[in-house]
Amino acid sequence: MNNVPFAIAIKFPEIIPGMYDSHILRKLSSMQGQFLDEQAFTQTLSQEDLLLYEVYNFERPKLGGELDSGLSILHPGKVGQEYFMTKGHFHTVLETAEVYYCLKGKGVMVMETPEGEWDVKELTPGVVLYVPPRWAHRSVNTGNDEDLITFFVYPAIAGHNYGDIELQGFRKLILDSGNGPEIVDNPRWQAPEVRHNGS
Ligand code: F6R
Ligand code: ZN
């Protein structure tokens, strides 16, 4: 990979960058066990394996000092009452942060630490969100019919740990109350001390 400056235009309304290193497509079938309403999940999936989100990555060598960046496009929709969301992850190198810049749409970032602290921050165009080291993160599209588009930057050495989230999901879920988004407890989530006692 050339160690020379590069510039990529992300222009409205096309958004899709003219140049990128990888394009990841995540469909409903890859989110087994993550949505609260399992019946709604199975039913939705039996109709169509919907495309939930896409990520265009600008990748750099996995070296200290390098930054990976990219564009996340999370489509609108719901499984039952739960809005479409990304899988969510901790960084494998836990002590690495990430910055998100919201370009379009409406949503939230759900975050938590391994110790069980949690936070939810709104994403609307122009918002810069700092996800500190140690905080797992998942974006959720709470808009009715618009993509949630964010630009992100993080250390190239970070890596992605999906497994810990897949085990029981995030502590908080974002559901449509019928009157807009609400934050609810995830019944599958167990506090670290309970989890580690093996119950
Ligand atoms: C990178 C990062 C984003 C996400 C993207 C898709 O560290 O946080 O690029 O990877 O928003 O979400 P996941 O990776 O959770 O499927
Ligand atoms: Zn990340």
Side-chain angles (χ1 to χ4, degrees):
M1 188 174 287
N2 288 337
N3 197 25
V4 293
F6 66 91
I8 298 161
I10 296 169
K11 288 188 186 157
F12 290 91
E14 296 88 6
I15 296 283
I16 314 273
M19 185 192 101
Y20 49 86
D21 298 303
S22 63
H23 178 204
I24 294 168
L25 299 170
R26 287 247 216 264
K27 291 186 163 186
L28 190 59
S29 54
S30 70
M31 299 284 282
Q32 194 85 43
Q34 292 304 302
F35 287 95
L36 177 65
D37 187 338
E38 285 176 28
Q39 221 179 328
F41 178 86
T42 308
Q43 204 204 335
T44 311
L45 188 57
S46 71
Q47 284 161 4
E48 193 185 342
D49 191 5
L50 295 166
L51 178 63
L52 299 193
Y53 59 101
E54 306 176 50
V55 185
Y56 292 91
N57 289 299
F58 313 130
E59 290 168 22
R60 295 292 302 166
K62 306 301 170 218
L63 299 172
E66 289 281 2
L67 298 171
D68 278 345
S69 58
L71 207 58
S72 161
I73 304 177
L74 175 53
H75 300 304
K78 276 180 279 186
V79 173
Q81 295 307 112
E82 195 170 7
Y83 298 101
F84 281 4
M85 60 195 184
T86 59
K87 273 166 133 18
H89 56 264
F90 288 97
H91 289 164
T92 313
V93 179
L94 198 56
E95 301 295 338
T96 52
E98 183 155 352
V99 171
Y100 278 82
Y101 179 52
C102 182
L103 297 168
K104 190 172 189 283
K106 186 171 171 289
V108 295
M109 189 71 78
V110 178
M111 293 165 281
E112 72 183 42
T113 66
E115 292 76 32
E117 279 174 279
W118 67 274
D119 201 352
V120 173
K121 291 266 184 279
E122 279 195 25
L123 291 169
T124 51
V127 169
V128 172
L129 173 68
Y130 184 72
V131 181
R134 303 181 60 77
W135 287 76
H137 39 285
R138 156 182 285 167
S139 26
V140 180
N141 185 343
T142 59
N144 290 326
D145 48 19
E146 203 183 5
D147 288 339
L148 174 67
I149 305 184
T150 50
F151 177 78
F152 54 82
V153 188
Y154 62 99
I157 57 159
H160 296 97
N161 165 9
Y162 293 101
D164 284 352
I165 294 298
E166 277 165 5
L167 285 176
Q168 57 175 20
F170 279 75
R171 182 169 186 173
K172 298 291 173 180
L173 305 175
I174 310 297
L175 304 188
D176 181 1
S177 65
N179 204 10
E182 64 174 345
I183 302 171
V184 303
D185 288 333
N186 171 8
R188 285 205 302 137
W189 191 89
Q190 290 185 311
E193 55 277 16
V194 177
R195 222 179 298 160
H196 296 141
N197 286 339
S199 43

